[in-house]
Amino acid sequence: MNLKSGRIEGFEGYSQFNSVKEFNTHIEMWLAVKKQEFSKGELVGLKGLVRYTAKVNG
């Protein structure tokens, strides 16, 4: 896989999820298991990235 920077819409084909709802469900399940492994600051950063990635599939 050769990813180059560009418009976020160009990455939709790489998504493993069919919808934003499915993505959010998987993130919630993953965080339920892994949350204790992160510091408060890391969780803030991670949740910011999750919000950003949920705007467009991929």
Side-chain angles (χ1 to χ4, degrees):
M1 176 177 355
N2 189 9
L3 295 177
K4 296 181 181 178
S5 63
R7 295 177 48 90
I8 191 168
E9 292 81 5
F11 298 116
E12 289 181 28
Y14 297 105
S15 178
Q16 298 178 9
F17 306 102
N18 296 319
S19 67
V20 173
K21 182 178 180 181
E22 181 183 358
F23 172 75
N24 286 335
T25 300
H26 280 82
I27 289 292
E28 288 175 19
M29 290 187 314
W30 182 81
L31 274 175
V33 174
K34 298 289 187 178
K35 187 175 183 177
Q36 68 280 359
E37 297 179 25
F38 294 95
S39 70
K40 185 176 181 179
E42 289 169 335
L43 283 171
V44 169
L46 178 61
K47 288 179 181 181
L49 288 172
V50 167
R51 280 193 301 273
Y52 179 76
T53 59
K55 290 180 188 267
V56 176
N57 289 348

